[in-house]
Amino acid sequence: MALGYVRPARPEDAGEIARIQLATWRVAYRRILPRHVLDNLDEAFLARRWSAAVLEPPSGAHRVLVAVEQAEQSYLVGFAASGPADGEALAPGEPADALGPDVAAVTDLLVEPRWGRRGHGSRLLAATVDLWREDGLRRAVAWAFDGDEATRKFLTSTGWEPDGAARALDVDDMLVPQLRLH
């Protein structure tokens, strides 16, 4: 395992979070999402969205955490975003109250590929779970692309499993299947 730690994201981390998101998506999703979609993602737009997520979360239980690799210098290498489950966590046709008030939703959990397999994802997930417990959230869900074997393998290795819910995202007129884990 690498030397590293997890901390709450700061406003000045937004640009680096956006860079990590783009770098990770362009590697991990290159066979899942259309290339032109990945190529046209706007890093500045993503940075503004992450800045808003850090500065103005919808609630105190919505959090963005970052993973830091410690060496001669410290590097932001990954991040996780989560909060109480909302409509985005629901499967198509699922009633609004299907998940219940004690369910968290992971919206992002990414470690830049060059820093992978060094314990950062596990540290991010463990820190996130600790915060859910403090907030009274007892269960959690996360959507993963059906073709994203790395994310599914990571989550199932930590005890998550598919809950039977599925959906397809319309990405530039291409339906991309996802499954929900809990």
Side-chain angles (χ1 to χ4, degrees):
M1 278 201 160
L3 290 176
Y5 60 92
V6 171
R7 65 166 170 77
R10 303 174 188 141
E12 61 269 20
D13 296 331
E16 193 64 5
I17 293 170
R19 186 199 62 73
I20 291 166
Q21 182 177 16
L22 280 179
T24 304
W25 281 19
R26 287 178 175 155
V27 170
Y29 301 153
R30 70 179 181 268
R31 290 190 175 93
I32 297 171
L33 299 175
R35 181 181 178 140
H36 69 277
V37 170
L38 293 171
D39 289 344
N40 291 324
L41 290 170
D42 180 12
E43 190 170 332
F45 171 78
L46 292 173
R48 288 189 300 276
R49 301 244 351 222
W50 285 114
S51 180
V54 171
L55 288 169
E56 303 167 8
S59 76
H62 285 82
R63 296 189 177 87
V64 180
L65 303 176
V66 294
V68 180
E69 168 98 5
Q70 287 183 284
E72 288 183 27
Q73 297 181 41
S74 292
Y75 304 94
L76 253 58
V77 298
F79 66 95
S82 70
D86 60 14
E88 294 296 314
L90 296 172
E94 219 171 19
D97 61 352
L99 295 176
D102 65 341
V103 178
V106 176
T107 56
D108 290 279
L109 177 58
L110 298 173
V111 174
E112 191 175 357
R114 66 185 169 139
W115 299 102
R117 306 200 53 82
R118 298 169 67 93
H120 298 298
S122 296
R123 279 190 288 278
L124 282 165
L125 186 56
T128 300
V129 169
D130 288 344
L131 292 170
W132 296 339
R133 287 182 178 140
E134 287 177 18
D135 294 329
L137 302 170
R138 302 287 172 240
R139 299 179 305 125
V141 296
W143 287 98
F145 289 116
D146 194 41
D148 183 0
E149 189 174 319
T151 296
R152 289 184 302 123
K153 187 175 180 179
F154 170 72
L155 288 173
T156 57
S157 76
T158 62
W160 294 62
E161 57 187 31
D163 70 0
R167 67 182 182 189
L169 296 183
D170 186 348
V171 180
D172 199 37
D173 290 333
M174 177 179 157
L175 292 177
V176 183
Q178 289 187 308
L179 60 100
R180 189 172 65 196
L181 295 101
H182 70 121

